Amino acid sequence: MLASSSDISACLDRLVGGFTGLRHGGQFHEPNLDGTSGDYISFDSWEWPQGVGLYGLVRLWQFTGRDDLRHLIENWYSVRIEAGLPSLNVNTTAPMLGLSVLWAKTRDPRWQPTLDAWASRVMSDMGRTPEGGFEHHVSDKVNDNELWDDTLYMVALFLASYGQASGRRELVDEASLQFLVHARYLADTETGLWFHGWTFDGRHNFARARWARGNAWITAGILDLLDLADISRPVRGFLLGVLKAQVDALLPLQAPSGAWRTLLDDPNSYEEISATAGIGYGLLKGYRLGLGTPAWRDAGLKALKAVMNNIDENGTVLNVSYGTRMGHDQQFYRDIPIQPTGYGQALAILCLSEALQHVEAEGKVA
């Protein structure tokens, strides 16, 4: 059955409610390095899942112009900033992306000092690998000399967005460099898919896991990068080639349900909906921007159906894998537990928001 614009809009309303209603139930104890308690679930926590979630809400606000969403977003940032921000790392940078996109649209003077100071600290203080990549240092672990897919979405997109909006070209150039360095070590030349991580200590890709959500960060991330900032022609051309190679590999791996599995090329791993939403969002956006073929749109709409089939009556996205550290064998990825999360809500919001742009005149996606 085809999804109508009213179906998608109603689902989006439930998704927002499901996101803002998330609370940590105590089932995951992940203390931060500074001794504070890590909360990767609750809506009111400043961490990477919430950061991706806020970006999803900002994008939905951009698409719809809803004042209630703008109020929700601005209140979240106002309360968090007044309470004091956490230490700088890759994951605590994630909420800055949504704030940057919001500021680029509204030019509200409340936000620029925070954005400007954080961007400068990223440039001066973020740990670096050989060749200048950002080390994947996070709140509860220091990952020296390691590159992860996630870093591009959590840090590089913020630099691109804020650099473009503020006229700080050095930030856009840094974002481009990060995509290039990560592509050099994480893009698998054999398949076109991306590995989860790389370490310069021993120079290897850990479990060589072609992990679905990591690939979703790339599908969505490359397209968001090109949408958020003016990227130089050579870098743009290179990244589009990398993206098209990835999509060529992704399309045959889509399950009949429309989902992708948490290990993309492992038929024994479970279907994972946050990755499905992120990849679907990227495919639909790529087609809308004139960068992909009708096959991208078809696969994106199949992913949309899978995502909508995994949203419960409370607006909670089901079958989302919990935050995933670097695995040293592939069984590690098969064993990641299922848990509702902010990024699961956010990626679904991005997917459904983008799908609204593909609803045809009769109100249904074909």
Side-chain angles (χ1 to χ4, degrees):
M1 182 176 179
L2 301 178
S4 68
S5 58
S6 59
D7 290 339
I8 295 171
S9 295
C11 228
L12 280 165
D13 285 340
R14 297 205 313 275
L15 284 169
V16 172
F19 176 37
T20 58
L22 284 175
R23 296 294 181 271
H24 194 291
Q27 63 272 51
F28 299 104
H29 178 59
E30 297 184 281
N32 293 325
L33 293 173
D34 63 5
T36 59
S37 177
D39 184 349
Y40 300 90
I41 299 173
S42 300
F43 176 65
D44 58 3
S45 177
W46 184 290
E47 256 294 344
W48 73 270
Q50 296 81 2
V52 180
L54 267 293
Y55 175 60
L57 292 181
V58 171
R59 282 299 200 189
L60 180 57
W61 167 68
Q62 285 186 307
F63 283 138
T64 64
R66 286 170 46 184
D67 288 338
D68 62 320
L69 287 174
R70 176 173 174 174
H71 177 74
L72 172 68
I73 294 159
E74 291 183 334
N75 184 66
W76 190 93
Y77 280 111
S78 179
V79 170
R80 304 282 89 71
I81 291 171
E82 185 176 350
L85 298 184
S87 300
L88 172 88
N89 61 56
V90 166
N91 286 351
T92 57
T93 299
M96 291 294 174
L97 173 59
L99 187 61
S100 173
V101 176
L102 175 70
W103 177 77
K105 180 71 173 176
T106 67
R107 297 292 166 163
D108 189 321
R110 287 181 292 172
W111 313 126
Q112 190 172 17
T114 297
L115 290 164
D116 210 57
W118 198 280
S120 295
R121 290 176 60 209
V122 168
M123 295 290 283
S124 63
D125 299 349
M126 192 74 74
R128 302 266 184 167
T129 70
E131 300 181 36
F134 288 142
E135 293 177 311
H136 195 78
H137 294 172
V138 295
S139 301
D140 61 353
K141 195 171 191 299
V142 174
N143 299 297
D144 284 333
N145 286 319
E146 295 182 16
L147 299 173
W148 294 28
D149 297 326
D150 319 42
T151 303
L152 295 176
Y153 217 84
M154 308 310 156
V155 181
L157 290 185
F158 159 59
L159 293 179
S161 170
Y162 183 64
Q164 182 73 27
S166 66
R168 292 183 60 179
R169 186 67 205 180
E170 76 275 12
L171 303 181
V172 178
D173 290 343
E174 183 64 50
S176 297
L177 173 65
Q178 294 305 317
F179 271 83
L180 293 174
V181 173
H182 282 72
R184 169 161 154 75
Y185 288 102
L186 299 179
D188 176 19
T189 56
E190 180 182 352
T191 66
L193 302 173
W194 282 50
F195 297 122
H196 185 184
W198 165 269
T199 177
F200 286 93
D201 295 338
R203 301 184 67 86
H204 59 78
N205 290 109
F206 296 97
R208 295 179 63 83
R210 300 174 183 98
W211 175 51
R213 192 162 59 244
N215 275 263
W217 297 134
I218 301 308
T219 314
I222 290 175
L223 287 158
D224 281 347
L225 175 73
L226 302 181
D227 192 29
L228 289 166
D230 295 327
I231 304 302
S232 69
R233 185 176 175 182
V235 174
R236 178 184 174 89
F238 172 80
L239 290 177
L240 283 175
V242 169
L243 175 65
K244 289 174 180 177
Q246 186 207 35
V247 172
D248 285 346
L250 284 170
L251 295 187
L253 297 174
Q254 190 174 25
S257 67
W260 279 271
R261 298 183 179 279
T262 198
L263 288 173
L264 289 165
D265 49 1
D266 178 3
N268 296 315
S269 64
Y270 57 79
E271 294 182 6
E272 205 281 325
I273 298 304
S274 71
T276 298
I279 294 169
Y281 162 68
L283 294 174
L284 291 172
K285 183 170 187 173
Y287 179 78
R288 177 171 60 83
L289 296 178
L291 302 174
T293 68
W296 290 35
R297 183 175 185 268
D298 292 345
L301 294 177
K302 285 177 63 179
L304 169 69
K305 182 178 179 181
V307 172
M308 292 181 70
N309 285 341
N310 279 275
I311 299 170
D312 71 14
E313 64 276 7
N314 298 315
T316 302
V317 183
L318 308 175
N319 293 307
V320 171
S321 63
Y322 190 58
T324 304
R325 302 176 189 277
M326 189 58 59
H328 292 267
D329 60 62
Q330 300 212 354
Q331 189 60 41
F332 171 84
Y333 295 89
R334 300 184 191 102
D335 293 340
I336 294 293
I338 299 296
Q339 166 67 41
T341 66
Y343 56 83
Q345 302 295 128
L347 290 167
I349 289 169
L350 288 170
C351 183
L352 270 65
S353 297
E354 180 61 40
L356 281 177
Q357 315 309 304
H358 297 257
V359 174
E360 298 186 334
E362 68 272 20
K364 292 186 177 181
V365 290

